[in-house]
Amino acid sequence: MSVLELDDVRLAVPHPSGDRTLLRGVSLSVAPGEALGLVGESGSGKSMTLRTVLRTEPRGAHVAGRVLLDGRDVRGLGPAELRRVRAESLAMISQDPRAALNPLLRVSRFLVEGLCDARGDDERTATRRARDLLAQVGIADVDRCMNSYPHQLSGGMLQRVVIAAAVAGSPRLLLADEPTTALDVTTQSEVMAILDEQRRERGMSMIFVTHDLELASAVCDRIAVMYAGEIVEISTPERLHAAPRHPYTRLLLDSRPSLTARAPVLPVIPGRPVAAYEVGGGCAFAGRCPWSEPGCTDGEIPLVRDGDRAVRCAREEELAGELAHATGTEATA
Amino acid sequence: MQRFVIRRLGALAVTLLFSSFVIYGAMYLAPGTPESFLVQGRTVSPEVLASIRAQYGLDDPFLLRYWHWLTGVLTGDLGESLTTRQDVASLLASRIPTTVWLTAYAALLIVVFGVVAGVVAGLRGGLLDTAVLLGSSVGFAVPTFFAALLLMSVFSVTLGWFPVFGAGSGFSDRILHLTLPAVALALPAAAVVARITRTAVVEERDTEHVSVALARGVPWRTVARRHIVRNAMLPVTTIVGVNIAALVAGATVVEHAFTLDGVGALLINAVQQKDFAVVQAVALVLVAVFGVVNLVIDVLYAVIDPRVQLGGESA
């Protein structure tokens, strides 16, 4: 059974000019021990998807659909049960570790709090465990780190602390929201390696949100590409790179700078990203898609599953061969 | 920490020195002269007037008189009251307890009611929040003198619960006598503190570290206490400090209204009678209290916020 299953999750937030849709029916599943990458442009709904799992969506948001964690719908939990699930089954790693820790409290308090106050462990055991964890995430001077205040540590150190806190309770599912974006490049890879190692050791599942397709490919077992509040393609990294099935994925791959070939101008996807609430009927990407046809803007386009991959494109079958070989820029030319 | 306190005390001494000059000078710029008060409108011969001026050293140059006064103050001699011929230091000493009791009582009310109301309003929201906002607007808008009269007429005259005037003696009697004055004195400050506290709590409630703590399954009560209220106390400490320091000055109105024999009432009388020595001494005490309270607030600030480094580089 899946650790997590999202079934047609929709989310809208109140806005003076009527509710604004941010998620337009997200469905995905994460198997035990699996790492699922969630990639897409800013505002495509990646973080919001995570927040519906943790139930930390903005105040007043309307959420529909089911979020099953080990078969239990998280959306229907009462306050006490929700707190238990958050303490025991889920863990979040956010983008900015500096904002995640209370600036007035020591690191030790942050680590111990997640075990003591949230899970009910006793303080001595929790402190010992916190120290072990810090050592495991590669912190050399554990004493100094435990007694430090957040402002005394670097961003990389702090993110290690956050990772230690996240894996402390061996949760079922890690929710990592761009955990390395706020760090500098050399620290990024270290922190990423530590996160991956900790996760694998404990056999935890993970949803990894990023806009870095390469990073997601390196870390994740499967990748879901999001666009305008819905998933347009799910695939393994290898297949996604070799034969993307959705035009958006193809163009996303093309617009990465290559390490080997020097391109005079980096190809960009024409047009601008569309917000979920701006989408009318049909395919959300149709307006920017070089392969779009008049039929693309009619009706709802379903996410068609095919084994462990899925794609949401009206011309999926016709384009399969073309997308695997041609690049988007050639198609427009 | 020690170095910080010592440095701040030094700064306070400089402030006091500077303000002593301003205070001393201001009395001479104000209309009316002390000798005209001393003769109380009687017609006296120029010789008598001259002897009075000589006796009080009023003919010396300004800076010389200032110097005499300053050296006196530094040796604990605050001079002699022009009107009562009493030693100013002992006059002040006899008045200080009432004012200390009054302001301490009012400060307690500000902290307890202002901070608690603000925290409750910020955490709970809803109807309670509206009630606190409304109450604080009223509390802030009512002038202290009017509040004093209103409290007196309702609780002393009509209901007879509290005495109308006097400071009382002994602990419980003092509390009984000072309750209404303290409430009148604390009202506007408590209103401001409640409002600032509420805003600080609401802002802190929306920070990421608070939602992270909740998302980790830390119970709401713990998050409220450890993360929201504690962090919100930073701005609250500042505003409470400023308001408590200002109480000493605000006490003059209340002491006058409730005919309490405190330092404030002493100041009002002394100003009316151009009693130089007393006015200067009281003003100096006010400045000193303000400085000390602010120092205490700064130290408290560093205790609450580890990011504040007292004493610069090596603290």
Side-chain angles (χ1 to χ4, degrees):
Chain A
M1 190 174 64
S2 313
V3 170
L4 179 76
E5 192 157 342
L6 262 63
D7 182 16
D8 196 31
V9 172
R10 292 163 188 275
L11 182 145
V13 287
H15 191 266
S17 57
D19 286 2
R20 288 200 150 169
T21 307
L22 297 181
L23 296 179
R24 302 189 301 129
V26 174
S27 300
L28 56 83
S29 68
V30 183
E34 185 190 34
L36 175 75
L38 219 50
V39 298
E41 292 160 323
S42 310
S44 57
K46 310 182 295 284
S47 301
M48 213 42 85
T49 305
L50 289 193
R51 290 171 75 173
T52 61
V53 179
L54 212 52
R55 284 196 34 196
T56 53
E57 62 275 351
R59 223 168 293 166
H62 310 291
V63 182
R66 294 191 306 161
V67 178
L68 303 175
L69 185 71
D70 286 321
R72 215 150 65 117
D73 194 347
V74 175
R75 305 294 321 172
L77 294 178
E81 293 169 304
L82 175 64
R83 200 176 71 71
R84 265 182 69 108
V85 165
R86 283 170 166 182
E88 289 168 10
S89 308
L90 295 170
M92 174 93 175
I93 301 169
S94 55
Q95 194 180 114
D96 183 6
R98 221 167 272 290
L101 272 72
N102 184 340
L104 304 189
L105 298 179
R106 291 178 202 276
V107 164
S108 55
R109 174 51 57 202
F110 175 74
L111 287 167
V112 168
E113 173 179 77
L115 294 164
C116 268
D117 299 284
R119 296 164 56 93
D121 296 2
D122 78 279
E123 184 113 12
R124 290 245 323 266
T125 327
T127 309
R128 208 171 325 125
R129 177 130 180 79
R131 299 176 58 89
D132 289 348
L133 284 160
L134 284 184
Q136 284 174 38
V137 295
I139 283 174
D141 194 343
V142 171
D143 285 316
R144 201 181 73 86
C145 184
M146 286 285 276
N147 289 318
S148 293
Y149 288 100
H151 73 277
Q152 295 167 324
L153 299 178
S154 69
M157 288 271 267
L158 278 182
Q159 197 61 301
R160 288 170 204 237
V161 170
V162 171
I163 289 171
V167 300
S170 297
R172 295 280 287 155
L173 179 65
L174 271 181
L175 302 167
D177 190 356
E178 306 198 34
T180 58
T181 310
L183 309 176
D184 63 68
V185 185
T186 45
T187 329
Q188 271 184 11
S189 51
E190 276 173 42
V191 167
M192 206 55 236
I194 288 164
L195 173 61
D196 202 40
E197 176 192 308
Q198 291 294 320
R199 182 187 75 78
R200 281 175 201 278
E201 259 175 33
R202 292 175 167 75
M204 295 183 280
S205 306
M206 172 167 80
I207 298 185
F208 182 73
V209 164
T210 179
H211 47 244
D212 186 339
L213 199 53
E214 292 305 306
L215 186 59
S217 307
V219 183
C220 299
D221 303 306
R222 279 190 309 146
I223 291 176
V225 180
M226 285 194 76
Y227 186 79
E230 64 185 3
I231 290 172
V232 293
E233 182 168 1
I234 303 180
S235 186
T236 60
E238 300 76 31
R239 287 207 221 158
L240 201 72
H241 280 264
R245 301 280 280 275
H246 194 281
Y248 178 63
T249 316
R250 171 78 268 170
L251 294 169
L252 213 53
L253 287 166
D254 292 341
S255 57
R256 295 163 306 141
S258 164
L259 285 177
T260 46
R262 265 182 93 96
V265 180
L266 216 52
V268 289
I269 304 175
R272 63 167 185 90
V274 177
Y277 57 84
E278 295 172 319
V279 176
C283 175
F285 190 60
R288 303 168 74 188
C289 179
W291 293 278
S292 70
E293 282 186 343
C296 288
T297 49
D298 297 335
E300 282 243 334
I301 294 148
L303 188 68
V304 178
R305 284 166 209 283
D306 171 19
D308 61 348
R309 57 191 311 182
V311 64
R312 189 192 295 274
C313 177
R315 300 187 62 203
E316 191 250 324
E317 278 175 29
E318 306 163 50
L319 293 175
E322 198 178 331
L323 287 179
H325 304 296
T327 66
T329 35
E330 282 165 28
T332 29
Chain B
M1 178 74 102
Q2 271 182 352
R3 275 182 47 193
F4 170 78
V5 173
I6 289 167
R7 231 173 45 189
R8 283 295 302 266
L9 285 175
L12 181 59
V14 175
T15 311
L16 279 174
L17 186 71
F18 180 75
S19 42
S20 74
F21 186 79
V22 173
I23 290 162
Y24 198 82
M27 281 305 281
Y28 284 87
L29 294 175
T33 57
E35 66 265 28
S36 70
F37 177 80
L38 284 173
V39 300
Q40 289 178 330
R42 287 168 298 194
T43 20
V44 286
S45 60
E47 291 77 35
V48 176
L49 212 55
S51 73
I52 290 176
R53 294 183 66 86
Q55 187 194 340
Y56 289 97
L58 295 174
D59 287 323
D60 294 338
F62 172 73
L63 283 176
L64 186 65
R65 273 180 292 159
Y66 172 65
W67 176 249
H68 283 314
W69 175 72
L70 187 67
T71 46
V73 168
L74 289 177
T75 54
D77 174 21
L78 294 170
E80 192 180 67
S81 162
L82 291 184
T83 48
T84 62
R85 292 304 187 87
Q86 268 179 291
D87 181 39
V88 173
S90 58
L91 191 63
L92 210 53
S94 72
R95 299 296 198 107
I96 279 178
T98 301
T99 304
V100 167
W101 276 91
L102 174 64
T103 47
Y105 195 172
L108 192 73
L109 292 179
I110 290 172
V111 171
V112 171
F113 289 99
V115 175
V116 169
V119 165
V120 169
L123 288 180
R124 289 285 167 84
L127 213 63
L128 249 153
D129 189 18
T130 318
V132 168
L133 280 177
L134 209 72
S136 74
S137 299
V138 173
F140 187 63
V142 175
T144 305
F145 199 82
F146 182 70
L149 292 179
L150 203 68
L151 287 169
M152 259 194 278
S153 87
V154 174
F155 293 100
S156 300
V157 179
T158 312
L159 294 170
W161 291 355
F162 297 99
V164 185
F165 60 84
S169 55
F171 183 77
S172 58
D173 191 38
R174 264 213 172 100
I175 295 297
L176 189 68
H177 274 86
L178 291 178
T179 296
L180 291 186
V183 169
L185 182 56
L187 206 58
V192 173
V193 168
R195 207 164 253 256
I196 302 265
T197 306
R198 176 201 169 268
T199 311
V201 166
V202 168
E203 265 176 28
E204 206 55 48
R205 204 180 58 189
D206 288 336
T207 54
E208 191 177 331
H209 71 84
V210 166
S211 71
V212 165
L214 287 173
R216 294 170 77 205
V218 180
W220 165 248
R221 280 171 169 276
T222 311
V223 175
R225 181 167 44 82
R226 190 183 291 158
H227 295 285
I228 301 178
V229 174
R230 188 194 157 127
N231 290 33
M233 283 308 117
L234 287 178
V236 172
T237 308
T238 313
I239 203 76
V240 165
V242 170
N243 275 287
I244 288 178
L247 280 185
V248 185
T252 48
V253 175
V254 172
E255 284 175 7
H256 191 69
F258 286 90
T259 49
L260 299 172
D261 55 347
V263 177
L266 178 68
L267 178 67
I268 290 186
N269 286 331
V271 169
Q272 282 169 349
Q273 300 173 347
K274 292 233 89 179
D275 199 340
F276 281 49
V278 174
V279 174
Q280 286 151 359
V282 172
L284 214 51
V285 167
L286 292 187
V287 174
V289 167
F290 206 88
V292 169
V293 171
N294 274 314
L295 173 62
V296 170
I297 295 303
D298 283 346
V299 171
L300 260 182
Y301 217 85
V303 171
I304 301 177
D305 190 346
R307 290 166 298 181
V308 175
Q309 299 246 315
L310 294 185
E313 65 287 302
S314 62

